[in-house]
Amino acid sequence: MKYRLLMQEPETTLPSTPLLLQVLLPSYLLLLLLDIIFTIPNIAIISFALASLCTIITVATQRKAMELVDYLIGGTLVLLLIYGKVTQGQGVSLLSGLGYTLAGFSIGILLVYSRWSRKTFRIFFIVSSALLAVAVWTIMTDLPTLSGIKKAPLTYIASIMFLGEGLLYISDFYNKRYRPAIWPAIVSAVLSYCARGRAAIIISMLFLVVIVIINIRFIAYYYVDSGTHWLKYYRLPLLLALIMIIIALALLVPHLYRYSQFGKLGFTNTGRLSAATRFLDELTPKKLLSGFTPSFLASRGLPNSYLWMIAAFGIFAAIPFLAILFSLYRLLPTSMLLFSLMVILSAYFLGEMLYPFRYGDILFVPLIISAFHSDRIYIPGKHDEPPFWDRY
């Protein structure tokens, strides 16, 4: 039995996000991006002050709509970071960590209780993509005028670009654009290949596939299955576009593969495996409960976010682990886009240290807040369909 979505408008319209916050929060994200390329003095203090200001304004403007669970989420995240600072000492910046969390909390609350402009995160994504393209081009051509960019870790820029891409799609979704644009995913995939980071390549390609699938599903519901002649009118341009895409991929992918980390290492990385092995060797039941600082953390770092959670939070790492599982459970029957984003971000955690005390909070926290408020998410025809778990 096929369930059809019906296009309809919600009965109530959310208020617009305050213009000041639509300027300050993207400015915060841009500040983090610029700090990767050009070192900004006192960035931890500046970013914390800016994120705190955004949080104060967010709570002040949304306090009548916010629920107890929102305050509990924010308080739990802050307490986790404080505990992580105690276990890690000077190895982490509490101000930077709180800045990431507060910014993510503000964005998540505003996405649920207000309406963002469609252009806000688009502008940030375009800017971050342009900076990554310039950084890649600078390294490839050895431009002396941009020598300061040469030291920029391209994988970091690619990670922030992915976070901006995720926020763009979430914002579009909350703005009732249920057929997501494909161009941001294509741009992200191409630039991630150029950045030569294996984790970024895998994640960007997975997300591109998800966006294409959602578009196909949307077209199947609203054009093919609805009895229109949409495909009849546009089948020739679609066929030509498909042929051009296949030819472009056939020419581009081998070239990018040759110069990427995949061409050199494939899926293996002895450095990461060595770090994971050393981490497990140092891990004891006592350290698992309380958290600890690995002896090699300062020189090498940890290979993924999950080991970093255990090191920073100890037994309390169960909180973010359970939050991920809960979010997947709540988002699966609600939105394929949000569910896929959480799956892909969780997979990204396997390859990079994005959370905690990292900028992964900026996307991770809004997805958690969306999961707790999944009943507020409007989907055309959602209430006309049986529950997801009863369809099969």
Side-chain angles (χ1 to χ4, degrees):
M1 181 176 181
K2 186 173 293 185
Y3 301 98
R4 306 186 64 151
L5 300 177
L6 304 176
M7 291 298 291
Q8 57 187 12
E9 294 294 324
E11 296 181 359
T12 59
T13 301
L14 294 174
S16 298
T17 300
L19 180 60
L20 180 61
L21 289 173
Q22 297 202 49
V23 174
L24 289 179
L25 284 169
S27 299
Y28 169 84
L29 299 178
L30 182 60
L31 189 67
L32 298 180
L33 187 59
L34 292 176
D35 181 60
I36 294 176
I37 302 176
F38 307 103
T39 302
I40 300 176
N42 301 317
I43 181 61
I45 298 175
I46 296 173
S47 60
F48 172 72
L50 187 56
S52 298
L53 176 62
C54 292
T55 303
I56 292 172
I57 298 175
T58 298
V59 174
T61 56
Q62 308 299 323
R63 64 185 185 279
K64 293 183 179 180
M66 289 176 63
E67 300 176 3
L68 176 61
V69 67
D70 302 318
Y71 296 100
L72 292 176
I73 292 173
T76 301
L77 292 171
V78 170
L79 290 175
L80 279 175
L81 290 180
I82 294 175
Y83 182 82
K85 175 63 177 178
V86 173
T87 61
Q88 299 301 315
Q90 299 298 320
V92 296
S93 171
L94 181 59
L95 290 181
S96 296
L98 288 175
Y100 301 141
T101 295
L102 293 177
F105 178 77
S106 298
I107 292 172
I109 293 297
L110 293 171
L111 285 171
V112 170
Y113 294 110
S114 64
R115 181 167 46 88
W116 287 78
S117 168
R118 293 172 182 254
K119 298 180 180 179
T120 302
F121 290 112
R122 268 179 166 72
I123 294 174
F124 172 76
F125 176 75
I126 292 173
V127 171
S128 61
S129 301
L131 287 175
L132 178 57
V134 170
V136 171
W137 182 257
T138 299
I139 293 175
M140 293 173 62
T141 58
D142 195 25
L143 293 178
T145 55
L146 297 176
S147 58
I149 300 182
K150 290 182 182 179
K151 298 179 181 179
L154 297 182
T155 54
Y156 289 179
I157 304 177
S159 298
I160 291 187
M161 183 185 67
F162 169 74
L163 300 179
E165 178 190 11
L167 292 175
L168 184 157
Y169 280 116
I170 296 176
S171 176
D172 277 359
F173 176 81
Y174 276 103
N175 273 306
K176 295 177 287 186
R177 180 168 181 165
Y178 303 112
R179 184 171 68 86
I182 297 180
W183 67 266
I186 295 177
V187 170
S188 178
V190 172
L191 291 179
S192 295
Y193 263 115
C194 295
R196 304 181 184 180
R198 288 175 297 171
I201 292 173
I202 295 173
I203 295 305
S204 61
M205 290 303 298
L206 284 176
F207 199 48
L208 175 59
V209 170
V210 166
I211 296 301
V212 170
I213 291 175
I214 294 176
N215 273 270
I216 293 174
R217 181 175 182 269
F218 185 94
I219 292 173
Y221 270 114
Y222 294 114
Y223 293 100
V224 179
D225 195 49
S226 60
T228 67
H229 301 286
W230 187 85
L231 283 180
K232 178 181 178 181
Y233 292 144
Y234 295 100
R235 60 185 176 185
L236 181 58
L238 282 174
L239 181 61
L240 293 176
L242 181 61
I243 293 174
M244 292 176 64
I245 290 174
I246 293 175
I247 294 175
L249 289 176
L251 295 175
L252 184 62
V253 170
H255 175 77
L256 293 175
Y257 174 85
R258 178 183 177 185
Y259 293 100
S260 70
Q261 293 292 332
F262 280 116
K264 302 175 182 178
L265 300 175
F267 285 95
T268 63
N269 188 322
T270 55
R272 290 176 180 268
L273 292 176
S274 174
T277 302
R278 291 183 60 182
F279 177 87
L280 294 176
D281 290 340
E282 295 183 15
L283 185 63
T284 63
K286 181 180 178 180
K287 292 179 178 178
L288 179 62
L289 292 175
S290 62
F292 72 106
T293 303
S295 60
F296 57 90
L297 183 63
S299 60
R300 178 172 294 183
L302 290 172
N304 64 57
S305 299
Y306 298 107
L307 296 183
W308 181 219
M309 291 181 203
I310 295 173
F313 301 146
I315 188 63
F316 298 111
I319 295 177
F321 290 160
L322 292 175
I324 292 174
L325 295 177
F326 174 80
S327 299
L328 293 174
Y329 174 78
R330 290 294 297 266
L331 294 176
L332 176 58
T334 303
S335 166
M336 180 179 178
L337 176 64
L338 300 185
F339 171 78
S340 300
L341 259 176
M342 179 57 85
V343 170
I344 292 173
L345 183 61
S346 302
Y348 210 169
F349 283 175
L350 287 172
E352 299 288 347
M353 283 179 59
L354 296 179
Y355 173 84
F357 299 102
R358 299 292 191 276
Y359 35 75
D361 301 52
I362 297 169
L363 182 58
F364 181 52
V365 177
L367 286 172
I368 291 177
I369 294 176
S370 295
F372 274 91
H373 293 286
S374 60
D375 56 327
R376 296 175 57 94
I377 297 177
Y378 171 75
I379 301 287
K382 179 178 69 173
H383 301 294
D384 300 328
E385 298 182 357
F388 177 86
W389 307 105
D390 295 339
R391 299 180 199 173
Y392 304 100

